[in-house]
Amino acid sequence: MTVRPVPAQPAPHVAVVGGGVSGLAAAHRLRARVGPAATITVLEQRDRVGGVLHTVDLAGVPFDVGAEAFLARRPEMPLLLGELGLAGAQVHPTGATASLRVNGRTTALPGATLLGVPTSAARLDGLLSAPGLAAVAAEPARPLRWEPGADTALGGLLRERFGDEIADRLADPLLGGVYAGRVDTLGLRPTIPALAAALDAGAPSLTAAADAATVPPPKPPPSSEGAPARPTPVFGALAGGYRTLLDALSDAAAADVRLGTTVRDLQRRETGWRLVLGPTTAPETLDVDAVVLAVPAPAAARLLAAVAPVAARAAAEIELASSVVVALAYRPTDAAVLPPTSGALVATGEPLSVKAFTHSTNKWAHLSPDGLVRLRASLGRFGEAATLQVDDAGLVHRARADLAALTGITAEPVAAHVQRWGGGLPQYGVGHLDRVRTIEDGLPAGLAVAGSALHGVGVPACVATARAAAERLVAHLTTQRREADAPGPRGRMGAWPASTTTS
């Protein structure tokens, strides 16, 4: 009897749609889990990878004009940097503190709040009026009705419990910096989950819930000399900018990265997926075994419409906000009047175009190797798309005018860069977590989603969704391989077809 060798199963081919940090992190995790033989193709519509992470040269120094920092106390980034050999590139902020512009004057940003929600230790003198202070003081004694598991607009809850001043002067500027949104349209549960959890657990007031949710970080163990170790900094960044991370992810993933490539359609095949790429006049198809969608919610909704309509409808409900970053560099003599703070948030109603300034060289010591003063202005929120229609010169003019009003700096900058983020940030409205659950539960096998539209807009949260998406696909591919290797008519026949690209 002649024994014929069983043909080896072809290695899988996975497509990652979207080359932002979520897509690259998913590609990196897939490479680590499926091995070097697999084909991983990253399809990015823009002419560069990174999404809203972008490092430019500002007067000769790498400078981030998208996200500038990450939460260092979350585990995802330290773990990822360690895997990529970048642990030594992580830097932390200086001790400079933030300020707040309210009622035409700049004051220190109050401590002891949870994204603007006061704890019992908050000191709000100088920020609130006498009636505003009285409302905050009276809140713990007022009856609170809360249905566990419920969600509500954060702004409405703050106004009902504390009055308008807390919402407009504190919470709105803080959350505007995170989401480019308005406190009145953001949901409590997705934006401050710890506060919602404390309310679910029976906190008798919003102040008490903020107290319960504001848990001090664990004390680090003593150093080898017995002296107390320094606490872990809250935030981190990379000395060479986020381009360092993006380059390392691209190298480690060893993926075929195709820039300037639009994915127009996603179709289900018997044993995998077909992506339709390129212009309608010259379409190209890519057949793969599994797909990660790491794209903004509207794009995900469009691609899911035919293959996962329930998930697509939920994704379509997630709105986006647009914003602009204007980066400026000054000679030290021209910026000598810059306050020694890390920056200033701007309260609602102030007659300024910007929503915040970051005094970058005060905040990050590595950003002034040449003595120049670098900073960035943030403009634009949800519903303010017209900001992006102003030309670059006009945006620089607005930023400089507001900088002069806040700090007295009137000199011409030695360098400027305008970065527009059209639809850069998803809005976590009321019911956002239900939408995300619907998206994730409605995906067919072999398809996964990742990105800032899901479980957090920060880089660590994006990395977490990327790893989860990769693990979902690894489990699917493993099941396919077992079925292919099983005896019977379906076994040994190549459940993973060779992936092909055709014009």
Side-chain angles (χ1 to χ4, degrees):
M1 182 178 70
T2 301
V3 179
R4 296 180 179 179
V6 177
Q9 299 296 319
H13 187 172
V14 181
V16 179
V17 184
V21 68
S22 302
L24 293 180
H28 167 255
R29 185 62 177 170
L30 283 165
R31 176 62 68 201
R33 298 284 278 114
V34 300
T39 300
I40 300 173
T41 302
V42 176
L43 304 164
E44 170 54 46
Q45 187 174 20
R46 301 186 189 188
D47 60 359
R48 63 170 183 83
V49 297
V52 295
L53 301 187
H54 189 35
T55 309
V56 300
D57 288 326
L58 184 66
V61 169
F63 191 88
D64 285 315
V65 291
E68 61 148 359
F70 54 84
L71 279 172
R73 288 178 180 171
R74 282 191 58 149
E76 293 88 356
M77 279 298 286
L79 176 63
L80 181 60
L81 294 176
E83 292 173 350
L84 296 171
L86 293 178
Q90 183 172 331
V91 293
H92 299 289
T94 66
T97 56
S99 59
L100 179 66
R101 182 71 168 191
V102 61
N103 282 344
R105 64 189 189 89
T106 305
T107 185
L109 184 68
T113 77
L114 182 62
L115 280 176
V117 182
T119 68
S120 58
R123 295 295 174 261
L124 305 171
D125 303 74
L127 175 65
L128 305 184
S129 67
L133 291 170
V136 171
E139 194 274 338
R142 294 177 53 212
L144 172 67
R145 290 185 179 181
W146 179 259
E147 184 71 27
D151 195 12
T152 188
L154 178 58
L157 182 61
L158 291 177
R159 294 182 195 281
E160 192 276 325
R161 298 300 298 180
F162 297 112
D164 292 337
E165 291 182 0
I166 280 290
D168 294 336
R169 299 183 182 184
L170 192 55
D172 195 58
L174 281 166
L175 289 167
V178 178
Y179 296 97
R182 294 289 183 185
V183 68
D184 291 304
T185 61
L186 295 172
L188 165 66
R189 190 167 291 276
T191 53
I192 315 182
L195 189 68
L199 291 171
D200 290 347
S205 69
L206 208 52
T207 304
D211 284 342
T214 309
V215 180
K219 293 183 178 180
S223 66
S224 57
E225 292 79 18
R230 296 181 62 185
T232 303
V234 177
F235 296 104
L238 294 173
Y242 270 123
R243 71 163 59 138
T244 306
L245 172 65
L246 301 174
D247 289 346
L249 282 173
S250 298
D251 291 344
D256 174 20
V257 179
R258 298 179 57 177
L259 301 177
T261 302
T262 300
V263 180
R264 294 195 294 107
D265 195 17
L266 177 64
Q267 302 168 1
R268 204 165 185 174
R269 302 174 65 236
E270 182 179 358
T271 55
W273 300 90
R274 170 166 291 174
L275 292 89
V276 181
L277 317 176
T280 56
T281 55
E284 178 186 2
T285 60
L286 179 68
D287 292 345
V288 297
D289 303 297
V291 178
V292 176
L293 296 180
V295 293
R302 175 176 56 80
L303 292 173
L304 291 172
V307 299
V310 174
R313 286 193 293 271
E317 294 175 0
I318 301 174
E319 297 183 281
L320 304 181
S322 299
S323 61
V324 174
V325 170
V326 178
L328 302 168
Y330 288 91
R331 299 178 184 86
T333 52
D334 293 335
V337 294
L338 186 72
T341 59
S342 62
L345 298 171
V346 177
T348 303
E350 292 297 297
L352 299 170
S353 297
V354 302
K355 64 183 181 183
F357 274 104
T358 302
H359 304 158
S360 303
T361 48
N362 289 349
K363 185 176 180 179
W364 304 100
H366 68 284
L367 289 180
S368 186
D370 51 6
L372 291 180
V373 174
R374 294 172 176 84
L375 51 86
R376 43 183 271 167
S378 299
L379 302 88
R381 293 195 191 198
F382 179 65
E384 297 178 357
T387 301
L388 272 70
Q389 299 172 7
V390 180
D391 63 19
D392 286 3
L395 290 168
V396 171
H397 174 77
R398 292 184 182 188
R400 290 185 57 198
D402 288 354
L403 182 65
L406 291 174
T407 69
I409 297 175
T410 59
E412 186 83 17
V414 298
H417 178 89
V418 175
Q419 185 67 48
R420 301 162 189 272
W421 297 114
L425 282 173
Q427 298 300 287
Y428 284 17
V430 176
H432 178 78
L433 298 184
D434 292 334
R435 295 184 192 96
V436 172
R437 193 175 302 112
T438 300
I439 294 168
E440 294 178 332
D441 291 348
L443 297 175
L447 192 58
V449 292
S452 62
L454 302 175
H455 299 288
V457 298
V459 175
C462 290
V463 171
T465 66
R467 294 177 83 94
E471 294 300 333
R472 172 184 168 93
L473 294 192
V474 168
H476 167 71
L477 295 171
T478 301
T479 299
Q480 278 198 329
R481 174 55 61 94
R482 288 172 180 164
E483 291 177 352
D485 288 343
R490 294 186 61 189
R492 305 288 184 186
M493 295 300 293
W496 290 343
S499 302
T500 60
T501 303
T502 61
S503 298

